[in-house]
Amino acid sequence: MAVFRSKSAGTGEAKVAGERSLLLGIGISAVGIGMYVPFSLVFFHHVTGLSLTLVGLVMTVTGLAGLAFMPLAGSAVDRFGAKRVNLVLYGIRALGFALYPFASSLPAFGAVALVTALADRSFGVVQQSLIGEVARGAARDRLQASTRALQNAGMGAGALLVSGVLALWGTGGFTYTAWGNSLAFALAGLLVSRVRPVRAAAAGSARRAPAGYRMVLRDRPFLGLTAANFLTALGYSALSVLFPLYLSTWLAAPDSLAGAAFTVNTVLCAGIGVLIAGRVRRSGARRTRSAALGALLFAAAFVGQIVLGTLRPGQSVTLVALLAIVVVYTLGELVHSPSGGALSVSAAPEAVRGRYLATYQLSYSLASALAPSLFTALLAVDGRLPWAALAVAALGAALALVRLEPHLPAGAVHVEQPAAAVAPGEATAPERRPAAVAA
């Protein structure tokens, strides 16, 4: 069975069957997300008519429930396949946003928000699993980079779109936005339904092998990879959580600089993300090394914040320095994200990929949950302290990635394996754990 269609004979790059539909669907769903995420509380307040306090309480409770649901989503992926679960989640999100304008009572809003939150929180796990299901080798890295670029571009476009809607119709436009979100998710699901998963001839029996989360917990190298990602994931939260607080409290800089930093980050991610990832991929760098390089760039940006917070120069110098630091930070994100994502997908045995990636994605969720309290506590002591903690965490992540390299499957570490060394179905990862799969 032909798994890929070659892009060009010279590069060795391959194109996934249905790739354009997959990426277009991801971009469209990102537009939908951008239409409500920047306004979250206000959005649901105006759509449902409930108070901000009640909306906030419901969002917190349903968000925590969504985290608890992620392991079940991983099990569903292993049983039914990532594509099927992905389509179900798109359908639930489409239905949820279609119903939000009618959920004007607390019980109704709670029910709709709960079901939608379960789908939202689990979507990252399923999407990562889908990339592993439809792509092999370097195609995984390319899809990771393209996905991140489209998500940034789509969310930016969605935020601009909803701003125009609100300018025309006022807060009543939030209702139209909810239905627009529903349409975006439904259309994305239709597009993603055209992608074709690929499997090796022997993968079917391996997929049905009895295995659960005990197998994941026995896999110390993968747990180490997850722990290293947690350290890096704290850095991913810095721009949205710590940066605005640091600007206003420690540097006494205008709040508008936070908006400028977000804009620079978003534009760079959308504009050069695929280019940077392609350069890294074509360099032949091991995924562990390129992910470690991304963590080191994070550390450099955090050290830059410490230096800036110590010197505290004038406003013009501060502006230039902050934007330069954001550029370094964004480069770290663009180098780390595709390699780290492809590394986690490729290190997971196909039979239990959903469970493995559910465990891995918890590192992001836990970091996002802990970041606000951790950053504010450290910031209260000294404005440079949270950046120092983040720098140490990033350096620790880089060291851990390099140390884990010999213990991870060769097919996960290397972007491309020699044809004689790896079967087309990438049997490397399961072969490393024969006893665990049998268990």
Side-chain angles (χ1 to χ4, degrees):
M1 178 177 67
V3 173
F4 299 118
R5 299 190 305 274
S6 294
K7 267 187 176 179
S8 62
T11 62
E13 292 282 341
K15 197 168 185 178
V16 174
E19 180 175 331
R20 290 182 180 177
S21 295
L22 173 64
L23 293 177
L24 182 58
I26 289 171
I28 290 174
S29 66
V31 172
I33 294 170
M35 291 169 69
Y36 78 93
V37 164
F39 304 95
S40 294
L41 284 171
V42 177
F43 174 90
F44 291 114
H45 165 65
H46 286 292
V47 168
T48 63
L50 297 173
S51 70
L52 288 170
T53 303
L54 284 176
V55 169
L57 178 62
V58 170
M59 288 180 66
T60 299
V61 173
T62 57
L64 292 174
L67 287 178
F69 185 75
M70 286 172 62
L72 294 178
S75 299
V77 166
D78 293 334
R79 181 167 185 176
F80 302 108
K83 179 182 174 180
R84 291 179 181 177
V85 180
N86 184 278
L87 294 178
V88 169
L89 296 187
Y90 268 134
I92 291 173
R93 296 163 99 191
L95 180 62
F97 278 93
L99 292 177
Y100 269 128
F102 305 103
S104 55
S105 67
L106 180 59
F109 174 58
V112 175
L114 176 61
V115 175
T116 307
L118 298 183
D120 280 340
R121 290 286 184 172
S122 300
F123 193 79
V125 174
V126 178
Q127 184 165 278
Q128 289 292 308
S129 299
L130 181 61
I131 289 175
E133 192 170 272
V134 304
R136 295 287 186 266
R140 288 179 176 171
D141 301 72
R142 190 184 67 251
L143 282 180
Q144 292 282 350
S146 299
T147 296
R148 190 161 190 84
L150 283 169
Q151 286 173 334
N152 278 276
M155 289 183 67
L160 288 175
L161 181 60
V162 74
S163 297
V165 169
L166 296 178
L168 287 174
W169 288 292
T171 55
F174 279 119
T175 297
Y176 301 114
T177 301
W179 289 331
N181 291 340
S182 177
L183 180 62
F185 290 133
L187 182 56
L190 288 175
L191 287 166
V192 172
S193 68
R194 300 175 63 183
V195 74
R196 291 199 302 245
V198 292
R199 306 217 203 299
S205 60
R207 189 176 183 83
R208 290 189 294 271
Y213 278 101
R214 285 182 298 176
M215 177 178 176
V216 185
L217 296 178
R218 289 194 207 108
D219 192 339
R220 292 184 179 180
F222 192 86
L223 292 181
L225 187 63
T226 302
N229 190 67
F230 169 75
L231 296 176
T232 312
L234 287 172
Y236 276 91
S237 301
L239 190 63
S240 59
V241 179
L242 175 58
F243 192 73
L245 293 173
Y246 176 70
L247 281 178
S248 60
T249 60
W250 188 259
L251 293 182
D255 292 334
S256 58
L257 282 183
F262 281 118
T263 301
V264 169
N265 177 261
T266 301
V267 169
L268 288 177
C269 285
I272 66 170
V274 175
L275 175 64
I276 295 295
R279 291 286 181 89
V280 172
R281 189 169 65 249
R282 286 189 292 274
S283 72
R286 300 172 186 178
R287 288 180 176 130
T288 43
R289 303 292 175 91
S290 50
L293 175 59
L296 290 177
L297 288 169
F298 268 1
F302 301 148
V303 171
Q305 293 284 26
I306 296 171
V307 173
L308 184 62
T310 301
L311 299 178
R312 297 189 185 184
Q315 289 291 336
S316 58
V317 176
T318 297
L319 172 61
V320 173
L322 281 174
L323 293 182
I325 289 170
V326 170
V327 169
V328 175
Y329 172 90
T330 305
L331 288 176
E333 182 179 343
L334 297 179
V335 172
H336 174 272
S337 180
S339 299
L343 180 62
S344 65
V345 171
S346 301
E350 187 170 345
V352 283
R353 183 182 292 135
R355 292 174 173 89
Y356 266 69
L357 294 182
T359 303
Y360 186 81
Q361 288 293 317
L362 281 174
S363 62
Y364 281 112
S365 300
L366 184 59
S368 297
L370 292 178
S373 58
L374 175 64
F375 292 160
T376 51
L378 294 175
L379 194 65
V381 178
D382 190 292
R384 296 161 295 185
L385 192 56
W387 298 113
L390 286 173
V392 171
L395 290 172
L399 178 61
L401 285 165
V402 174
R403 294 285 297 273
L404 284 167
E405 187 175 284
H407 305 288
L408 294 169
V413 172
H414 298 276
V415 176
E416 291 286 8
Q417 283 287 91
V422 179
E426 192 192 34
T428 316
E431 285 174 0
R432 182 170 61 86
R433 312 175 180 89
V437 172

